Amino acid sequence: MPRGALIVLEGLDRSGKSTQVSRLVSRLNAAGHRARLQKFPDRTTPIGGMIDAYLRSASELDDRAVHLLFSANRWECHAAIERDLAQGVTVVVDRYAFSGIAFSAAKGLDFTYCLSPDTGLPLPDATLYLTLSPETASRRGAYGAERYENVDTQTAVRAQFAKVAEEVGRRHGDARWVEVSAEGSVEEVERDIWGVVEDVVRRVGDEPVGRLWE
Ligand code: 2DT
Ligand code: MG
């Protein structure tokens, strides 16, 4: 049986990521692929509960401690993801280790330090990075009230995502990181994402799942 694909969507706040991941899962299922959604942070686990409290500013945590919690939150889900992939289910992921690096490095943590705890996680077959100009982001309305939902943080995170893109290309090849403009309508962005994902899902077949940063 061909394995499922691991597809990650990344992007800044207001890029329409959550809308697009759910549309993508529906479209994959409608096309006869089995697919499911996985969101990070997964706030439903005990570790996710600590992350949720931190994001709502209901708790304070050391920057490194919270960085490791975000990574631990992925590690506690990796076995289920790998099992699904092996059983032919495509897993569409809303944020992954790349957000982990970009947000922590934006706070001033060392970039190489930020990579390390996620080393060995399943490597996405493709990461689609939704790009959005600061002007369009601000036209889409006010940010929410959570930690990181402000212009200064988003600007710093954008710069770190550019470094993450370079690192993915260098370690895993440029084909793994695909920029998709999020400037268009929901339907236009959905069509562009589908154009990429359709090929990836067909191609991965019996290729083994790679390991992040290895
Ligand atoms: P959502 O708004 O998508 O729930 O994200 N974040 C996310 C990190 O700082 N590190 C991580 O590893 C991940 C996955 C991005 C909540 C915020 O958490 C940030 C925004
Ligand atoms: Mg958010």
Side-chain angles (χ1 to χ4, degrees):
M1 175 176 44
R3 73 166 170 89
L6 183 58
I7 307 289
V8 170
L9 266 73
E10 286 279 10
L12 296 174
D13 280 57
R14 305 262 152 243
S15 61
K17 209 162 15 64
S18 302
T19 305
Q20 293 297 338
V21 286
S22 64
R23 284 183 172 237
L24 179 56
V25 170
S26 305
R27 191 151 181 176
L28 283 162
N29 282 311
H33 302 283
R34 286 172 300 148
R36 74 151 169 111
L37 180 59
Q38 168 73 56
K39 155 128 197 64
F40 289 117
D42 179 346
R43 304 189 194 211
T44 66
T45 71
I47 293 170
M50 294 174 71
I51 293 170
D52 179 61
Y54 173 78
L55 290 171
R56 289 185 293 101
S57 299
S59 71
E60 293 302 322
L61 286 168
D62 174 83
D63 288 344
R64 284 183 184 75
V66 79
H67 183 72
L68 297 173
L69 287 177
F70 275 111
S71 179
N73 188 227
R74 286 183 280 280
W75 280 108
E76 66 181 343
C77 298
H78 89 100
I81 292 173
E82 295 194 37
R83 187 197 55 221
D84 285 345
L85 295 177
Q87 292 179 352
V89 177
T90 285
V91 182
V92 176
V93 185
D94 183 349
R95 292 193 194 278
Y96 199 51
F98 313 115
S99 276
I101 298 158
F103 281 79
S104 290
K107 290 196 276 193
L109 293 188
D110 177 71
F111 190 83
T112 305
Y113 164 83
C114 290
L115 298 184
S116 56
D118 291 300
T119 301
L121 279 175
L123 174 67
D125 295 299
T127 297
L128 288 87
Y129 178 56
L130 300 188
T131 62
L132 189 70
S133 70
E135 294 71 33
T136 308
S138 72
R139 263 205 308 280
R140 289 189 182 175
Y143 289 117
E146 285 203 331
R147 208 182 282 265
Y148 307 143
E149 293 181 330
N150 60 78
V151 173
D152 287 352
T153 300
Q154 298 289 318
T155 303
V157 169
R158 177 196 304 274
Q160 294 301 327
F161 265 127
K163 293 182 67 178
V164 171
E166 249 174 62
E167 197 67 25
V168 171
R170 211 163 56 75
R171 304 250 204 150
H172 301 298
D174 288 332
R176 300 259 175 189
W177 186 276
V178 183
E179 288 198 4
V180 175
S181 168
E183 300 282 332
S185 67
V186 170
E187 290 75 20
E188 285 165 341
V189 178
E190 180 184 349
R191 191 198 54 216
D192 291 348
I193 290 173
W194 184 247
V196 176
V197 170
E198 214 185 0
D199 281 347
V200 174
V201 169
R202 227 182 287 117
R203 175 172 52 75
V204 291
D206 49 10
E207 280 174 29
V209 179
R211 298 284 138 210
L212 186 60
W213 309 133
E214 284 179 359

